[in-house]
Amino acid sequence: VNTQNFLKWLFLFSLVTPLGVVLGTSVFHNVNSGSGFAEIIQAISAGTFIYIALMEIIVPEFDSHLPRSEKLVKFILLF
């Protein structure tokens, strides 16, 4: 991995993450509670976490050449 490219992406991530937290917090606290907008945003973020867990973490674990019992233990510990 190119060190300069890695540092560039690390810097970008370190800027965007707090910005997302501030933006999400301000939207959550400023939206009318009866509108349902905050619930929709939370559902989308929950769906994103579920998708990442199922497609990016669990699938590669079961494709590895580890014994079946070890895969099962990792799967149970993940959830």
Side-chain angles (χ1 to χ4, degrees):
V1 176
N2 184 358
T3 304
Q4 186 177 9
N5 196 20
F6 175 76
L7 291 175
K8 178 180 71 171
W9 285 108
L10 183 67
F11 179 72
L12 181 65
F13 179 77
S14 69
L15 292 178
V16 173
T17 302
L19 179 64
V21 170
V22 169
L23 182 63
T25 303
S26 66
V27 166
F28 184 73
H29 288 296
N30 293 329
V31 172
N32 188 0
S33 63
S35 68
F37 181 74
E39 290 81 6
I40 292 171
I41 297 298
Q42 287 178 345
I44 291 171
S45 65
T48 302
F49 280 112
I50 292 170
Y51 175 81
I52 290 171
L54 292 176
M55 297 299 158
E56 302 293 331
I57 297 173
I58 294 175
V59 172
E61 282 300 321
F62 280 104
D63 285 342
S64 68
H65 299 292
L66 297 174
R68 179 180 271 181
S69 60
E70 192 172 337
K71 291 178 190 179
L72 181 61
V73 168
K74 285 185 177 182
F75 179 74
I76 291 171
L77 290 176
L78 181 64
F79 287 102

